[in-house]
């Protein structure tokens, strides 16, 4: 939609009306989280420098956002000019021809993007979404409890060692649980963690013939370890816990070890939010037998659907919102502790950021070592670490996640959960024509 602002030009007593500005409404669909809310607050700076563009925000909960943007892009609805999408959707939609390539301006510095983040958003050499913030997964733990127990956590421990430490620091009588992990079912919830565990035991989601691998030995080792940890050393009600629930518990001092998104590090080390901010330490995700695919990789990114009515204005906004200058603007308006992380090498090289972000080296190392193409020890036909970047994965991942939660609750055995996951996966792959 265009808005025309009328003006007047006068010479003496004679005046003639003239059209001054044609303002373009740029409609942006985004997720309702802290970094995106902050971006909306800073809209005034973009509009000040681009008076011909007016930003219109559609802010949605993650699940609703996925549904709305997927429906719009698949039907070529054209409701949105900019969409906030993830590392899962980007390569799938790019291959379908649903996205326009990102064309950074001269000041953007594409080479400053972290290589693994850039890789996950690139198809056939073209960037199809620009990263707003990125994350991997890592260990976050209470160094005081670990030290008191006479234990240590090395930078890349084994899952067996994590079990030993969790057992030592588990003290439910005093409100401390040895380990907190996601238990809520979902391809982006419990399956995000469990898949990295299976990878670290030498597993994969599909072999090179696209046969699902849920009943393989690595998957049994991973799920057995996962269930054992939470049943014996986790908090009650783990089957309902996702990121936000565990974050709240950790900040209250109730979790000894937490393995989850690196983005959590800034929250748990912030004394305004966390009661244990000065007692937190970080390490790389645990391994079973290999570090290949042991930590996940995700990014919330901005993309332009092919159906956008204003692609040039959309490109201009994306260049602004994902630039080095935008990160500096957030720091200037709030603090370096609040900037979106996980996207640019220059952020981690900035001494002001490093000074306030003690988690920065561990976060950057985790993101840098998580490759969507070098994702599993055996060769895999898919890209993605905690997911397979194929349309069918959402259904498979959700069904498997529900089975893992059932195993955690003791409703089925680990073997039964894996067998049922395998059956669902094989059926979906046959329907899609992968396996005859």
């Amino acid at each position: 939609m265009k808005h025309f602002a009328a003006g007047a030009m006068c010479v003496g007593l004679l005046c003639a009306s003239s059209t001054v500005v044609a303002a373009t409404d740029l409609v942006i669909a985004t997720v309702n989280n802290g970094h995106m809310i902050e971006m909306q607050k800073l809209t005034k700076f973009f509009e000040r420098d681009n008076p011909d563009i007016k930003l219109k925000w559609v802010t949605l909960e993650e699940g609703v956002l996925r549904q709305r943007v997927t429906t719009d892009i698949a039907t070529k609805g054209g409701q949105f000019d900019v969409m906030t999408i993830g590392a899962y959707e980007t390569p799938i939609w790019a291959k379908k021809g649903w996205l326009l390539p990102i064309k950074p301006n001269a000041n953007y510095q594409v080479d400053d993007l972290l290589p693994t983040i850039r890789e996950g958003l690139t198809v056939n050499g073209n960037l199809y979404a620009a990263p707003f913030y990125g994350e991997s997964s890592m260990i976050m733990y209470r160094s005081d409890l670990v030290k008191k127990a006479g234990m240590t956590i090395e930078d890349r421990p084994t899952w067996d060692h994590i079990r030993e430490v969790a057992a030592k620091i588990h003290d439910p009588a005093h409100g401390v649980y040895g380990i907190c992990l996601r238990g809520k079912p979902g391809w982006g919830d419990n399956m995000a963690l469990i898949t990295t565990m299976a990878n670290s035991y030498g597993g994969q989601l599909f072999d090179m013939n696209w046969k699902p691998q849920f009943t393989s030995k690595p998957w049994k080792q991973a799920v057995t370890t996962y269930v054992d940890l939470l049943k014996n050393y986790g908090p009650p009600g783990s089957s309902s816990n996702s990121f936000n629930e565990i974050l709240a518990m950790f900040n209250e001092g109730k979790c000894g070890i937490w393995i989850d998104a690196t983005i959590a590090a800034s929250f748990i080390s912030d004394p305004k939010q966390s009661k244990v901010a000065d007692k937190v330490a970080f390490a790389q995700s645990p391994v079973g037998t290999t570090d290949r695919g042991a930590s996940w990789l995700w990014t919330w990114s901005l993309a332009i659907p092919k159906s956008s009515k204003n692609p040039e204005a959309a490109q201009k906004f994306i260049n602004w919102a994902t630039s080095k200058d935008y990160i500096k603007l957030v720091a200037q308006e709030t603090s370096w502790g609040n900037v979106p992380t996980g996207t640019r090498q220059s952020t981690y090289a900035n001494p002001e950021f490093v000074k306030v972000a003690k988690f920065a080296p561990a976060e950057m190392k985790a993101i840098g070592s998580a490759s969507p193409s070098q994702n599993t020890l055996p060769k895999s036909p898919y890209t993605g670490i905690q997911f397979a970047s194929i349309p069918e994965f959402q259904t498979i991942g959700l069904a498997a996640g529900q089975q893992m939660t059932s195993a955690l609750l003791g409703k089925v055995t680990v073997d039964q959960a894996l067998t049922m996951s395998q059956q669902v996966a094989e059926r979906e792959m046959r329907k899609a024509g992968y396996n005859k």
Side-chain angles (χ1 to χ4, degrees):
M1 184 182 294
K2 309 284 186 185
H3 297 290
F4 295 93
M9 182 171 60
C10 300
V11 179
L13 297 175
L14 299 175
C15 296
S17 64
S18 63
T19 298
V20 179
V21 178
T24 298
D25 282 348
L26 195 70
V27 184
I28 304 165
T30 197
V31 65
N32 185 21
N33 68 26
H35 285 312
M36 275 62 177
I37 298 299
E38 187 61 41
M39 176 168 54
Q40 292 171 51
K41 291 178 184 176
L42 300 176
T43 291
K44 59 186 179 184
F45 293 99
F46 177 81
E47 291 182 337
R48 180 195 67 192
D49 296 337
N50 299 275
D52 57 329
I53 301 173
K54 182 151 186 69
L55 304 182
K56 301 287 187 181
W57 296 92
V58 180
T59 308
L60 303 164
E61 182 272 328
E62 182 175 333
V64 180
L65 173 76
R66 288 188 196 283
Q67 187 178 31
R68 287 278 302 275
V69 299
T70 300
T71 300
D72 186 67
I73 203 165
T75 60
K76 301 180 175 63
Q79 291 182 52
F80 308 114
D81 297 299
V82 176
M83 292 177 168
T84 305
I85 63 176
Y88 171 70
E89 295 90 352
T90 301
I92 296 174
W93 292 1
K95 288 171 186 172
K96 286 179 177 286
W98 290 353
L99 299 175
L100 294 176
I102 298 296
K103 296 176 181 176
N105 60 25
N107 298 322
Y108 190 80
Q109 298 183 30
V110 171
D111 290 342
D112 185 43
L113 297 177
L114 294 171
T116 54
I117 293 291
R118 183 179 171 187
E119 177 191 352
L121 303 173
T122 298
V123 176
N124 296 329
N126 291 316
L127 194 67
Y128 278 91
F132 185 68
Y133 78 81
E135 66 179 40
S136 184
S137 52
M138 66 181 178
I139 304 168
M140 297 162 279
Y141 67 96
R142 289 275 301 279
S143 57
D144 59 327
L145 298 180
V146 173
K147 184 177 180 181
K148 185 180 176 182
M151 304 289 282
T152 59
I153 293 181
E154 302 300 324
D155 192 45
R156 182 73 87 170
T158 64
W159 278 104
D160 286 342
H161 183 69
I162 289 296
R163 182 194 287 110
E164 291 172 12
V165 178
K168 286 269 192 177
I169 64 178
H170 187 56
D171 188 9
H174 293 92
V176 175
Y177 303 98
I179 192 164
C180 295
L181 303 171
R182 296 191 193 196
K184 187 177 181 180
W187 71 265
D189 266 306
N190 61 350
M191 284 300 289
L193 174 71
I194 295 171
T195 303
T196 63
M197 294 177 71
N199 293 342
S200 84
Y201 280 100
Q204 58 190 155
L205 286 161
F206 305 96
D207 68 12
M208 288 302 291
N209 294 315
W210 289 103
K211 182 180 179 182
Q213 295 296 297
F214 288 112
T215 50
S216 63
K217 183 181 176 182
W219 272 91
K220 181 169 182 178
Q221 289 175 304
V223 179
T224 299
T225 300
Y226 169 81
V227 170
D228 174 62
L229 281 168
L230 285 181
K231 276 189 173 179
N232 292 308
Y233 315 116
S238 284
S239 60
S240 301
N241 289 342
S242 185
F243 177 88
N244 287 329
E245 291 79 12
I246 301 174
L247 174 62
M249 283 194 295
F250 197 101
N251 282 345
E252 286 295 316
K254 295 180 178 179
C255 296
I257 300 170
W258 183 21
I259 300 157
D260 211 304
T262 54
I263 200 73
S266 61
F267 306 133
I268 63 174
S269 56
D270 178 2
K272 293 178 183 175
Q273 302 180 53
S274 172
K275 293 180 179 178
V276 294
D278 60 338
K279 302 176 176 68
V280 181
F282 309 96
Q284 299 304 294
S285 290
V287 300
T289 55
T290 177
D291 62 0
R292 185 72 70 88
S295 53
W296 71 61
L297 190 68
W298 184 255
T299 175
W300 279 117
S301 304
L302 302 178
I304 307 170
K306 202 169 186 179
S307 56
S308 169
K309 296 178 177 68
N310 303 292
E312 289 183 15
Q315 184 66 71
K316 189 177 288 188
F317 170 75
I318 289 174
N319 279 333
W320 173 80
T322 63
S323 67
K324 287 173 64 176
D325 287 341
Y326 175 81
I327 292 170
K328 290 177 184 174
L329 176 64
V330 176
Q332 175 187 309
E333 294 297 310
T334 58
S335 75
W336 275 103
N338 290 331
V339 302
T341 61
T343 60
R344 289 186 170 273
Q345 299 174 69
S346 54
T347 302
Y348 296 91
N350 188 302
E352 293 180 83
F353 172 70
V354 173
K355 186 166 64 178
V356 299
K358 65 177 183 179
F359 58 85
E363 179 184 57
M364 189 178 183
K365 184 175 181 180
I367 292 172
S369 64
S371 169
S373 58
Q374 303 294 313
N375 49 359
T376 54
L377 190 60
K379 192 175 180 182
S380 294
Y382 57 90
T383 57
I385 299 173
Q386 76 277 24
F387 58 83
S389 198
I390 57 173
E392 296 74 25
F393 175 73
Q394 286 195 55
T395 300
I396 294 169
L398 176 58
Q402 290 167 338
Q403 291 299 326
M404 302 309 141
T405 299
S406 291
L408 179 59
L409 290 168
K411 293 180 178 179
V412 297
T413 65
V414 168
D415 282 338
Q416 288 171 329
L418 291 170
T419 297
M420 286 186 275
S421 299
Q422 180 77 10
Q423 290 171 353
V424 170
E426 288 179 350
R427 182 174 68 245
E428 290 298 318
M429 297 302 277
R430 277 197 305 272
K431 276 169 53 180
Y434 286 88
N435 306 124
K436 302 300 182 184

